[in-house]
Amino acid sequence: MLAVDDEMAGLDEMKFLLENNPRVQRVLLAFDAAEALRLLRSDDQLRSRDSEESVVDAVFADVSMPGLSGMELARVLNAFKQPPSLVFITGHEENALEAFEVGALDYIMKPADADRVDRALRNIERTKAERAAGDRPDAPAAELPAADEDEVIPVELAGTTKMVSRKTVRWVEAQGDYARLHTTDGGSHLVRIPLAQLEERWADANFIRIHRSYLVSMSLVSELRMSSSGYSVLLGGGEPKELPVSRRHTRELKDRLVRAPRQGWGSQG
């Protein structure tokens, strides 16, 4: 592991937390991003030449550093042939979204503690195992939950991980390469997954695309409305929410709405 912080107190704290975790074998230190890159480039070249195990599996870096910042360091690491996992440790929660955009695996708010660091290390181990499995030609494809099983989505922000059940999701809103989950408790959570991927992944869980920007839970559609501007749906499961339906998705939505009650009536004796 490599810890990077321009403040001695922060570097000492991270060194202590990492060295006292049984998952960590060795800890390297860097006082700025330039020193970190020197260490990482030599490690990357060693692996490329000899195919040896990396000394640095992950980088725990502060975001705000003089010269090259943590975010800029992340962008450089993305160009590596075998980039290490990156975990930001910072006192600035407003950088969380940008951190994940540049490929950070985790984001820990200061002051860090042993349990939070251990959770990040578990994420690193899991990612390393997934990468190793993906490199094997006979590696089995990852399995998604069966259609009748609920999926739990880990949502992390500012050092806290919340497990969001798919059953609580009313609708999903596209936000670039991200998606925002709107839940029955009135909350919303940004996840790093495109809406098109969620549409495919949740198709068997009764979610349907109604617009280029919206995916909704069919079980919560209470009304289909028509106006001079087109169709919209009204969602239950909380405070009523009206969302537009695009022309290209109207026919499929109508068909699904018609089939649903017919299937329900047919099952009654």
Side-chain angles (χ1 to χ4, degrees):
M1 302 294 166
L2 173 61
V4 189
D5 198 322
D6 64 299
E7 296 182 355
M8 181 58 71
L11 197 60
D12 286 343
E13 179 67 14
M14 186 47 50
K15 180 176 183 289
F16 174 82
L17 290 170
L18 290 173
E19 286 185 339
N20 284 276
N21 190 292
R23 302 177 191 276
V24 179
Q25 295 180 351
R26 182 182 179 188
V27 180
L28 301 178
L29 304 178
F31 293 98
D32 57 32
E35 174 67 9
L37 283 174
R38 186 186 68 78
L39 293 170
L40 291 168
R41 281 172 174 149
S42 62
D43 184 54
D44 195 52
Q45 290 169 2
L46 176 65
R47 281 183 290 168
S48 299
R49 184 175 67 249
D50 299 329
S51 297
E52 295 183 7
E53 186 72 13
S54 171
V55 173
V56 181
D57 289 325
V59 177
F60 286 74
D62 189 19
V63 173
S64 301
M65 293 185 288
L68 199 66
S69 71
M71 294 297 178
E72 291 167 331
L73 172 64
R75 294 184 177 94
V76 175
L77 293 183
N78 287 334
F80 276 42
K81 293 180 180 179
Q82 301 178 61
S85 297
L86 177 62
V87 177
F88 281 124
I89 300 182
T90 178
H92 306 283
E93 65 179 19
E94 65 269 17
N95 296 124
L97 180 56
E98 184 182 359
F100 291 116
E101 287 177 342
V102 297
L105 179 65
D106 212 333
Y107 190 92
I108 301 176
M109 289 295 296
K110 293 181 179 180
D113 58 41
D115 289 341
R116 185 64 185 86
V117 169
D118 186 68
R119 192 163 70 207
L121 290 168
R122 291 199 304 269
N123 288 340
I124 292 166
E125 289 181 345
R126 183 172 60 251
T127 300
K128 183 179 179 181
E130 290 172 351
R131 287 175 179 172
D135 290 338
R136 298 198 304 268
D138 58 344
E143 295 183 1
L144 294 176
D148 59 346
E149 295 179 0
D150 188 28
E151 181 176 350
V152 176
I153 306 98
V155 178
E156 184 146 358
L157 182 63
T160 300
T161 300
K162 180 176 181 179
M163 310 308 289
V164 177
S165 169
R166 184 178 59 198
K167 291 179 180 178
T168 68
V169 177
R170 301 174 67 197
W171 83 93
V172 186
E173 181 180 3
Q175 294 192 347
D177 291 333
Y178 290 74
R180 183 170 293 280
L181 312 178
H182 295 267
T183 54
T184 53
D185 62 1
S188 69
H189 311 278
L190 195 65
V191 294
R192 190 171 59 180
I193 182 171
L195 189 66
Q197 188 173 337
L198 269 185
E199 177 187 8
E200 180 179 355
R201 183 167 175 167
W202 289 2
D204 293 334
N206 210 25
F207 278 78
I208 184 172
R209 188 78 167 261
I210 62 167
H211 189 276
R212 66 179 181 180
S213 298
Y214 299 111
L215 181 71
V216 304
S217 173
M218 279 289 297
S219 62
L220 296 179
V221 175
S222 59
E223 292 182 17
L224 176 63
R225 298 176 170 179
M226 184 179 66
S227 68
S228 58
S229 58
Y231 284 92
S232 64
V233 294
L234 187 67
L235 297 180
E239 184 176 348
K241 177 66 177 182
E242 187 172 1
L243 294 172
V245 180
S246 67
R247 184 175 302 176
R248 61 173 295 194
H249 292 100
T250 299
R251 180 180 293 276
E252 181 184 0
L253 176 62
K254 284 183 175 180
D255 289 345
R256 290 278 293 273
L257 288 172
V258 169
R259 285 200 306 268
R262 284 181 178 176
Q263 290 170 352
W265 294 335
S267 64
Q268 297 177 0

